[in-house]
Amino acid sequence: MINTTECAVDAQSLISISLRKIHNSRTQRGGIKLHKNLLVSYVLRNARQVYMNEKYAEIYRMQQYEEVMTVCNEIQELNPLDLAEDCEEQRGDCCGNGGVSEPASLCCALLPVSQLVAVQSAHMQPPSACSAPLSLQSDEVCKETEPSFYQSCCAEAYPVSNCEFSPVNNLHCNKTTVLDLDTHVVTTVENGYLHQDCCASLQQCCQGAQYSGKKRKVDFEYYISDIEEVPDFTPCKRAKFEDCSYANSEHLDTSNISNLISIFGSGFSGLVSRQADIEQALALNGQFCSKQALSSLGAMTRAIVAF
Amino acid sequence: MMFDANTGGGSNDVQWCFSQVKGAIDDDVAEADIISTVEFNHSGELLATGDKGGRVVIFQQEIENKSQPQCRSEYNVYSTFQSHEPEFDYLKSLEIEEKINKIRWLPQKNAAQFLLSTNDKTIKLWKISERDKRPEGYNLKEEDGRYIDPNTVTALRVPVFRPMDLMVEASPRRVFANAHTYHINSISINSDHETYLSADDLRINLWHQEITDRSFNIVDIKPANMEELTEVITAAEFHPHQCNTFVYSSSKGTIRLCDMRASALCDTHSKLFEEPEDPSNRSFFSEIISSISDVKFSHNGRYMMTRDYLSVKIWDLNMESRPVETYQVHEYLRNKLCSLYENDCIFDKFECCWNGNDSVVMTGSYNNFFRMFDRGQRRDVTLEASREGSKPQQVLKPRKVCADGKRKKDEISVDSLDFNKKILHTAWHPQDNVIAVATTNNLYIFQDKVN
């Protein structure tokens, strides 16, 4: 069993080391070594799994803490009338059609306080009604917000630091950027909330996560220098998400690594088990609606955590 | 095969002595001089090495010197030739390395010797022949080659062969090209003496030794969608006696045995050899260290040996569920895998070999150490190939690596190991206790102490 408590930091460094190896292999004499890069991709997968497990575990711990705090606060200073009105207003915006039949109070009771806060912060941003956090409580709510969620986010610019507006800034504000290489949608996990920050293609985003088979096939075939399939590469799209995704990258060469990830991420998809991710996330967080979160990212998501 | 009483003995019977070392002495190693393969021929008289520069050097064992029976005969350079040159694939904009990946000797049929050598893409059949006579007494040519004016010739004579200094010539007889999209890792000659196989990362091809413009694909594990790739072929070998049987190993730690009689395309294996992973050993690098770097049949054809990063495993061909023997080569490295990953050492591909009667197996390690495991006596020994221990007939002292902090005298701690000094290639004489061990750019020959 990989010792996860010590390994979250190691996982990060392993990911960057692995990406560097893959990048360097492109310029090695004799061409890309398929065997070595396959093994490196396994390390990358393992490190990513550990890292994401750690993140989910952290989010779950935070949620639990906040729920406990909510109960305490409610006991102490609850004014049911005011709170219900706020909730209803926000819930209506958040849920789009308002087709949810649950009463406001129930809705508020369901939403932990951290979510209310995040909903508030979301409203500070233009113009999205539904930039609400993805980690919604009930399945019904999740389903209904899904389509509009995608649409609204396209208008947002990256990087908007929600942390600045959010009162949860008092808590440890962690941001992790996830790049979906199929839809080129960049999502930020922030204190457990997934925001879609930008997307390379507006259309792709609005249509939901559409699997672009051609683009995926492209890079891996190019990567292995197999002339049997001709690469169908579009540099302009790559440049777009390069800008928005990697503004925060610290020590890695942004353009090289984004190129690298776009190449790598579309390959070795057999190694990446989305099902495994979901199961792991569910195992860790019974209530956490990660299943919905992950499924909303598309049918064939191959996300890689970037730094 | 006849073995004399001295051969095949266990490690406690045999005392290994330094015999010779070939190669440059200076520490500054030229990349082209890095040895990439070592192979004895079927009689053990010839020893071939290939290097990164695409050269093949063949050593020949001299006839034993009867006046000095305690000194077994030495290996001296017999032939040197440039087997492969660097090439450029213009279509893919790829340079093809000239490094010799494997050499395999053909069984001898006549006075000449034949071997197959391969780089990443092309296999070549080389004929090595001796010339020790030359014709003399031409009518129209002087001895130095100048032409004689025919008008001055008054008598005719028949040219005759006269002895000359031995000249060894190597000439390429066949070139087997353009059959592999991926990097060739293995070649293996069939016991039928007519065909051989070549394996790359995803495919195995069957060739006839005489035919260069055609080969048959017998294994293809390339998935329809390359994104679903999960394993590659790492080594392949024909069975020593059954011409229809071969095995190939994978990066996932499995070995597949295939029967060519079953179907033309042997994608479906006849047997699958796999040991379940120990979950307590799971780490980030589990996949890397389980990748098999070499597979070798025993001489008797009943067993096969596989080498992964930390261990050597012996498999009985009749039992697929697990190996019958497992030997830890350098278990003390298990805690160092992260550093070994960073410096790329974890990707080193160690080879392994059997002795003549399959009682002892040998493989290399770091710090110029190599290990021998005596299967019958359940003993193992660690020896070192270094210039310090290189006085003629000097007995090699067993070495020991200390895994914990309590280092005894003469032991070496794990942290002092030099990971740049690695022994990847070793070979054992088919009959005698003579071994060839390749360090980075030197070839060491050791033999057992003859009393």
Side-chain angles (χ1 to χ4, degrees):
Chain A
M1 193 69 170
I2 298 175
N3 188 348
T4 56
T5 53
E6 296 169 7
C7 281
V9 173
D10 291 336
Q12 280 195 29
S13 62
L14 272 182
I15 289 172
S16 60
I17 291 169
S18 303
L19 291 176
R20 204 175 303 129
K21 283 189 195 296
I22 294 175
H23 174 63
N24 290 340
S25 75
R26 298 173 68 193
T27 53
Q28 265 172 9
R29 215 178 148 231
I32 295 167
K33 292 180 179 23
L34 188 62
H35 183 203
K36 181 177 176 184
N37 284 280
L38 182 68
L39 296 178
V40 170
S41 71
Y42 272 115
V43 174
L44 201 48
R45 180 200 67 170
N46 294 339
R48 174 180 152 259
Q49 280 176 353
V50 166
Y51 183 80
M52 286 177 72
N53 287 346
E54 273 294 300
K55 281 290 166 187
Y56 281 131
E58 199 181 312
I59 290 162
Y60 183 59
R61 280 193 296 269
M62 299 274 291
Q63 268 195 322
Q64 290 216 299
Y65 169 77
E66 284 154 7
E67 277 166 17
V68 166
M69 292 306 293
T70 307
V71 170
C72 293
N73 292 341
E74 281 176 358
I75 289 168
Q76 285 175 8
E77 23 168 303
L78 189 61
N79 183 347
L81 213 58
D82 291 347
L83 207 52
E85 281 171 17
D86 286 345
C87 274
E88 191 162 26
E89 197 178 299
Q90 287 163 4
R91 185 185 59 76
D93 290 340
C94 166
C95 301
N97 302 338
V100 179
S101 56
E102 295 159 40
S105 56
L106 182 58
C107 175
C108 295
L110 288 173
L111 290 175
V113 80
S114 52
Q115 294 215 2
L116 292 175
V117 165
V119 166
Q120 287 171 359
S121 69
H123 282 277
M124 296 182 193
Q125 301 163 29
S128 51
C130 273
S131 55
L134 198 53
S135 58
L136 298 168
Q137 197 68 12
S138 64
D139 283 356
E140 298 104 339
V141 177
C142 288
K143 278 176 196 161
E144 294 198 0
T145 55
E146 230 177 301
S148 48
F149 177 89
Y150 278 90
Q151 283 174 355
S152 59
C153 289
C154 296
E156 288 181 350
Y158 183 91
V160 176
S161 173
N162 295 326
C163 285
E164 294 164 23
F165 301 108
S166 168
V168 301
N169 200 21
N170 297 331
L171 303 167
H172 177 52
C173 182
N174 262 344
K175 279 173 72 172
T176 307
T177 304
V178 178
L179 169 65
D180 181 346
L181 292 158
D182 291 327
T183 62
H184 301 293
V185 173
V186 180
T187 345
T188 302
V189 177
E190 212 174 273
N191 287 335
Y193 304 111
L194 284 164
H195 302 270
Q196 286 197 325
D197 307 300
C198 77
C199 34
S201 158
L202 201 63
Q203 288 168 336
Q204 272 184 335
C205 200
C206 293
Q207 287 161 12
Q210 285 211 351
Y211 171 44
S212 171
K214 233 184 184 179
K215 190 175 275 300
R216 288 183 65 211
K217 198 165 65 162
V218 160
D219 291 329
F220 188 53
E221 292 299 351
Y222 173 79
Y223 170 70
I224 60 159
S225 302
D226 187 335
I227 58 165
E228 292 168 37
E229 282 93 1
V230 177
D232 175 31
F233 194 58
T234 52
C236 54
K237 283 197 175 175
R238 174 192 270 182
K240 235 177 176 175
F241 65 70
E242 236 180 274
D243 292 336
C244 56
S245 335
Y246 296 101
N248 283 345
S249 71
E250 290 166 21
H251 52 277
L252 298 171
D253 182 5
T254 53
S255 61
N256 279 339
I257 296 302
S258 62
N259 292 351
L260 188 64
I261 290 180
S262 71
I263 285 171
F264 171 76
S266 55
F268 299 130
S269 64
L271 306 175
V272 179
S273 167
R274 178 182 145 266
Q275 191 57 35
D277 289 343
I278 292 170
E279 282 162 5
Q280 281 171 0
L282 283 174
L284 290 171
N285 316 291
Q287 289 181 342
F288 183 57
C289 199
S290 58
K291 186 174 184 176
Q292 289 299 326
L294 286 170
S295 63
S296 71
L297 292 176
M300 300 278 281
T301 297
R302 302 287 177 259
I304 292 179
V305 178
F307 299 93
Chain B
M1 278 191 276
M2 295 289 289
F3 299 106
D4 70 39
N6 283 336
T7 62
S11 359
N12 61 335
D13 296 333
V14 176
Q15 282 191 301
W16 290 98
C17 310
F18 171 81
S19 175
Q20 295 170 275
V21 60
K22 309 284 186 190
I25 297 173
D26 54 6
D27 287 333
D28 196 17
V29 179
E31 175 118 357
D33 293 336
I34 295 173
I35 297 172
S36 51
T37 184
V38 180
E39 187 82 356
F40 279 100
N41 77 335
H42 296 273
S43 65
E45 184 202 355
L46 297 176
L47 176 61
T49 63
D51 64 24
K52 262 193 143 182
R55 291 167 304 204
V56 171
V57 179
I58 302 176
F59 303 91
Q60 184 191 40
Q61 191 180 33
E62 287 179 351
I63 299 164
E64 276 190 40
N65 193 336
K66 296 276 188 319
S67 63
Q68 284 184 299
Q70 66 270 22
C71 174
R72 212 174 275 205
S73 44
E74 292 192 336
Y75 284 84
N76 296 316
V77 177
Y78 179 65
S79 174
T80 304
F81 56 93
Q82 186 76 31
S83 172
H84 287 71
E85 299 274 4
E87 287 173 53
F88 197 80
D89 183 338
Y90 295 98
L91 204 56
K92 300 182 198 175
S93 292
L94 277 184
E95 194 179 359
I96 301 169
E97 274 191 288
E98 67 276 29
K99 174 168 76 88
I100 308 295
N101 292 334
K102 283 286 177 338
I103 289 173
R104 289 288 182 264
W105 289 93
L106 268 63
Q108 191 172 10
K109 288 181 195 172
N110 51 40
Q113 301 279 355
F114 289 86
L115 61 80
L116 285 174
S117 69
T118 185
N119 69 349
D120 284 340
K121 297 286 183 184
T122 305
I123 307 141
K124 293 187 184 179
L125 176 69
W126 287 88
K127 176 180 177 183
I128 297 103
S129 49
E130 294 181 358
R131 192 197 292 265
D132 59 0
K133 293 185 275 287
R134 65 160 181 224
E136 285 177 16
Y138 284 102
N139 292 293
L140 292 175
K141 249 193 329 190
E142 299 276 12
E143 296 305 325
D144 57 10
R146 279 182 302 138
Y147 281 96
I148 298 174
D149 180 2
N151 298 322
T152 64
V153 175
T154 54
L156 286 179
R157 55 187 175 167
V158 177
V160 292
F161 276 103
R162 295 220 187 275
M164 59 177 265
D165 290 338
L166 179 66
M167 195 167 73
V168 181
E169 296 172 322
S171 58
R173 306 301 286 182
R174 303 277 188 277
V175 177
F176 305 90
N178 303 320
H180 286 280
T181 309
Y182 302 97
H183 295 331
I184 297 174
N185 52 57
S186 310
I187 46 175
S188 177
I189 297 171
N190 203 348
S191 53
D192 67 3
H193 297 182
E194 281 189 358
T195 56
Y196 74 93
L197 64 78
S198 58
D200 67 25
D201 291 322
L202 297 177
R203 297 190 178 100
I204 301 178
N205 293 335
L206 182 70
W207 302 83
H208 192 282
Q209 289 167 16
E210 300 292 326
I211 298 167
T212 60
D213 60 355
R214 208 180 324 152
S215 71
F216 295 97
N217 176 243
I218 52 176
V219 172
D220 188 342
I221 64 167
K222 184 180 178 189
N225 187 353
M226 272 301 272
E227 292 151 14
E228 290 155 21
L229 180 75
T230 58
E231 64 180 332
V232 297
I233 298 169
T234 53
E237 194 178 57
F238 266 119
H239 191 277
H241 311 134
Q242 296 167 15
C243 58
N244 54 281
T245 305
F246 66 93
V247 293
Y248 68 93
S249 59
S250 84
S251 55
K252 272 192 168 174
T254 63
I255 310 103
R256 287 173 175 80
L257 185 141
C258 301
D259 187 337
M260 294 196 291
R261 298 171 299 188
S263 66
L265 192 60
C266 299
D267 281 357
T268 315
H269 52 263
S270 300
K271 293 192 182 183
L272 174 68
F273 298 84
E274 188 175 16
E275 185 177 28
E277 191 194 341
D278 180 4
S280 64
N281 275 336
R282 181 107 189 104
S283 76
F284 288 114
F285 312 103
S286 294
E287 287 83 4
I288 299 187
I289 63 171
S290 64
S291 175
I292 292 174
S293 52
D294 194 16
V295 65
K296 291 265 171 47
F297 277 105
S298 61
H299 290 93
N300 60 20
R302 287 180 52 200
Y303 300 95
M304 65 179 175
M305 164 167 55
T306 57
R307 175 72 156 97
D308 51 67
Y309 190 65
L310 296 178
S311 67
V312 161
K313 294 178 183 175
I314 313 281
W315 303 78
D316 186 323
L317 292 186
N318 297 316
M319 187 163 81
E320 301 165 58
S321 53
R322 64 178 192 282
V324 289
E325 294 152 39
T326 302
Y327 301 104
Q328 301 301 333
V329 180
H330 36 220
E331 182 68 11
Y332 46 79
L333 295 183
R334 195 179 285 275
N335 298 328
K336 308 280 179 192
L337 293 180
C338 200
S339 326
L340 294 167
Y341 178 70
E342 280 184 68
N343 64 17
D344 272 2
C345 283
I346 206 173
F347 301 105
D348 288 334
K349 295 185 186 171
F350 291 95
E351 292 175 7
C352 52
C353 59
W354 298 84
N355 75 338
N357 66 0
D358 302 330
S359 61
V360 185
V361 297
M362 171 168 66
T363 189
S365 179
Y366 293 104
N367 208 68
N368 281 348
F369 287 171
F370 58 99
R371 302 260 284 140
M372 287 186 190
F373 302 94
D374 188 323
R375 300 175 60 210
Q377 314 234 354
R378 296 281 171 191
R379 286 170 189 261
D380 60 87
V381 68
T382 305
L383 300 172
E384 183 179 359
S386 77
R387 296 257 174 190
E388 279 84 48
S390 57
K391 294 196 201 68
Q393 301 307 306
Q394 181 178 358
V395 175
L396 293 180
K397 200 172 85 172
R399 314 290 283 164
K400 195 149 163 56
V401 176
C402 158
D404 52 31
K406 304 162 202 158
R407 193 176 74 86
K408 300 196 191 89
K409 184 176 170 263
D410 288 344
E411 282 186 358
I412 296 182
S413 75
V414 181
D415 297 318
S416 324
L417 294 175
D418 187 343
F419 290 97
N420 290 321
K421 295 185 181 174
K422 54 191 88 170
I423 292 177
L424 304 175
H425 311 286
T426 59
W428 205 309
H429 190 285
Q431 277 111 35
D432 301 336
N433 273 342
V434 177
I435 54 175
V437 171
T439 60
T440 307
N441 65 333
N442 286 160
L443 184 72
Y444 286 79
I445 297 172
F446 302 105
Q447 56 193 38
D448 63 347
K449 197 173 176 62
V450 181
N451 296 317

